[in-house]
Amino acid sequence: MKVVLFCGGFGMRMRDGMSDLPKPMHPVGPRPLIWHVMRYYAHFGHTDFVLCLGYGAHHIKDFFLTYSETASNDFVLRGGDVHLLGSDISDWTITFVHTGLDSPIGERLRRVRRHVAGEEMFLANYADVLTDLPLNRMVEKFRRSDAVGALLAVPPQSAFHCVDVGDDDRVAGITTLQEMPLWENGGYFVLRPEIFDYLPQNGDLIMDACRPLAKEGRLMAYRHRGFWQPADTVKERHALDAAYRAGARPWMVWEPELDDSGLVAADLVPQQLRTEVLAR
């Protein structure tokens, strides 16, 4: 399936005052966020990408036009020639489409409609969220349905405590948002082309398309309590970068987790990693 990535926004909450990089190009380890998202999809066999460009488009284009496979693959240098022992993007197809500087997400999707024409369904993503979601299960559940769209639903990420206050102003209980029966949009979508029938010009994907679909009973949610971490702010991106450098990389489902002896570890503990490594 084709993968539409929304990577043209200004990303104001990611600005550090020193760089004009668009949000998906900020690094996590040696590669930018967008690479991690694309590598995730490639792991599940989805290697045909449509990039909805806008602000900072030249940074994204230059990254792929001058891509160095040696940064994340083993290789042999012999006689001055590089012989790769692995490859990241050699089988990827990437379509670069300028979708406007100020376009909302829905309009960006409208402007790449021709690039997903003929698809039974396609994937879409904000390009700034990492997860260990079992994507194949989400896709298969959607495929068996008559829904027009599906989105990843994750527990709220706020660290604030919810306080249950009685009529007498006494606190009856304290809980976290994660413990409540609430879910938020996790930014991973599976869509059928019928989604375009719900998108007005300059519309929003969630409020103008997904909300009406929900009222019609034609929007699905795949609930996931595993690892999910946005990089919407400088702090969140730094947390992901720190986790990468500490070796806590549950979103990198394409790589086996190794213990100190070099053996593949049996399990990751996403919730523990979120608490201990990605704590805000």
Side-chain angles (χ1 to χ4, degrees), residues 107-175:
E107 180 61 20
R108 293 192 189 282
L109 182 56
R110 272 173 34 91
R111 294 186 184 189
V112 298
R113 180 174 185 171
R114 67 186 184 280
H115 297 289
V116 295
E119 296 288 306
E120 176 191 358
M121 59 184 70
F122 61 94
L123 304 164
N125 193 288
Y126 294 141
D128 62 359
V129 180
L130 303 180
T131 185
D132 63 355
L133 163 73
L135 182 65
N136 52 342
R137 297 180 190 175
M138 179 180 178
V139 169
E140 185 55 34
K141 182 179 179 181
F142 178 71
R143 190 188 303 275
R144 295 195 304 264
S145 78
D146 63 351
V148 175
L151 56 79
L152 171 63
V154 298
Q157 299 300 298
S158 172
F160 293 112
H161 292 94
C162 297
V163 181
D164 183 8
V165 183
D167 293 336
D168 59 356
D169 292 334
R170 292 183 181 271
V171 175
I174 298 177
T175 186

Side-chain angles (χ1 to χ4, degrees), residues 85-127:
L85 300 180
S87 176
D88 293 330
I89 71 170
S90 61
D91 62 341
W92 293 7
T93 299
I94 308 174
T95 303
F96 300 81
V97 184
H98 188 77
T99 55
L101 287 178
D102 302 304
S103 302
I105 295 296
E107 180 61 20
R108 293 192 189 282
L109 182 56
R110 272 173 34 91
R111 294 186 184 189
V112 298
R113 180 174 185 171
R114 67 186 184 280
H115 297 289
V116 295
E119 296 288 306
E120 176 191 358
M121 59 184 70
F122 61 94
L123 304 164
N125 193 288
Y126 294 141

